[in-house]
Amino acid sequence: MYSRKGYMDETYEILGYLGSGSGGVIYKAYHKRLQKEVVLKKIKRKSRDARINRNEVDILKNLNHMYLPQVVDFFEENGEIYTAMSFIPGRSLKELMEERRQFSQRQLIRWAMQLCSALNYLHTQTPPIIHGDIKPANIMVTPRGDVCLIDFNVSFAVNGNTVLGYTEGYASPEQYIIALDSREGRELPQYRVIDEKSDIYSTGATLFHLITGKKAGRNRTKAEEYLLKKYVSEAFAAVILKAMDPKSEKRYKNAREMFQALQNVYKKDARYRKLV
């Protein structure tokens, strides 16, 4: 990790402010040496856990997956910690939803499989990398029509107990509990770790919002289940509801298993049609 006075000014030209989230402040910038546009993120939460060692920086910078941005830099300057990732052209799912775009089941299944592919890649790193904030605003739709999962939190590569924040309607129950306990100085051992199943829940909750136009509540209701089944097939709804189970042990055990379930949606739908 670089830590040299003036490194930022030497390396980057800030092009504009993109936004601020639970994890940090985000800018669009130009990397002078690489001659490419990047997304530069100043991490809000500065702690010993975020000051990761050289080997872990190399892991982050060697990430390479078609549905993830490339990590191009990770450095510290004037007590602030920054990450730089490749700039992904396109529009976020949040923007498309705000325009009231409609998405077909086939399109949603394809995107869900791409997200599971990206998550499986992150979760099987050593150490595992947990995204921690999957939601429509963090999923870009590229000009080719694929999705790209942006803004994953590098601190989760080091410490699964760290909660940088959560987004209402997408965060898993355990994320709410940890965030509440951290504010009140309490711990509940059964909810202590944020792991890959938290990302699986948020993926399901994101799909629920894309399909129904409504965010899922903290406690799932029968009304939400009926609403989901109004818009998509029984088999696809079952995948989403399993991913969103409030009890983490009842969700898919990993992203690969959810990917395989999505692959089988059409087979189950065909068998159902044949039965009818």
Side-chain angles (χ1 to χ4, degrees), residues 6-34:
Y7 174 78
M8 173 115 96
D9 289 339
E10 289 177 7
T11 310
Y12 296 97
E13 177 188 349
I14 303 297
L15 301 178
Y17 170 78
L18 291 178
S20 178
S22 59
V25 183
I26 304 168
Y27 303 91
K28 185 176 181 180
Y30 182 75
H31 195 296
K32 298 173 185 177
R33 180 172 54 81
L34 297 178

Side-chain angles (χ1 to χ4, degrees), residues 204-220:
T206 296
L207 290 168
F208 181 91
H209 192 186
L210 290 171
I211 292 164
T212 66
K214 299 180 182 296
K215 289 184 182 180
R218 292 194 186 187
N219 298 304
R220 196 166 82 203

Side-chain angles (χ1 to χ4, degrees), residues 45-238:
R45 185 179 182 130
K46 297 187 289 292
S47 68
R48 180 175 57 82
D49 295 325
R51 301 169 195 278
I52 61 182
N53 65 39
R54 179 76 256 172
N55 289 338
E56 288 163 334
V57 170
D58 288 340
I59 290 169
L60 291 169
K61 291 174 73 172
N62 288 331
L63 293 177
N64 185 17
H65 192 278
M66 67 181 71
Y67 305 129
L68 292 171
Q70 180 75 39
V71 179
V72 298
D73 207 355
F74 191 96
F75 64 95
E76 180 183 355
E77 185 168 296
N78 298 325
E80 302 285 357
I81 296 171
Y82 297 86
T83 61
M85 298 187 188
S86 55
F87 179 78
I88 304 299
R91 306 185 70 195
S92 72
L93 282 175
K94 180 184 178 185
E95 291 175 295
L96 297 180
M97 289 176 69
E98 287 172 347
E99 294 178 358
R100 302 191 180 280
R101 295 283 188 92
Q102 299 294 313
F103 311 109
S104 69
Q105 176 169 307
R106 181 175 293 275
Q107 189 176 41
L108 289 166
I109 291 174
R110 178 170 170 267
W111 286 344
M113 291 173 69
Q114 291 175 351
L115 290 174
C116 286
S117 176
L119 288 175
N120 183 64
Y121 179 78
L122 290 175
H123 295 166
T124 54
Q125 297 300 308
T126 306
I129 298 173
I130 308 302
H131 187 284
D133 196 21
I134 297 171
K135 56 186 178 182
N138 283 339
I139 301 170
M140 298 294 293
V141 179
T142 69
R144 293 181 57 183
D146 296 322
V147 292
C148 187
L149 183 59
I150 63 172
D151 200 27
F152 51 88
N153 292 311
V154 296
S155 61
F156 277 102
V158 187
N159 182 359
N161 297 328
T162 303
V163 178
L164 298 178
Y166 60 85
T167 304
E168 189 79 33
Y170 309 108
S172 64
E174 56 269 26
Q175 285 174 278
Y176 290 123
I177 295 292
I178 290 179
L180 177 63
D181 288 344
S182 64
R183 284 199 298 269
E184 298 184 358
R186 294 184 289 115
E187 282 191 357
L188 289 179
Q190 68 267 35
Y191 289 109
R192 188 172 290 168
V193 176
I194 301 297
D195 60 15
E196 58 192 29
K197 290 189 176 182
S198 303
D199 280 347
I200 288 170
Y201 180 97
S202 297
T203 301
T206 296
L207 290 168
F208 181 91
H209 192 186
L210 290 171
I211 292 164
T212 66
K214 299 180 182 296
K215 289 184 182 180
R218 292 194 186 187
N219 298 304
R220 196 166 82 203
T221 64
K222 286 291 183 184
E224 288 179 339
E225 294 182 21
Y226 293 140
L227 179 64
L228 181 63
K229 291 173 183 177
K230 272 180 59 178
Y231 293 99
V232 295
S233 70
E234 191 86 19
F236 189 27

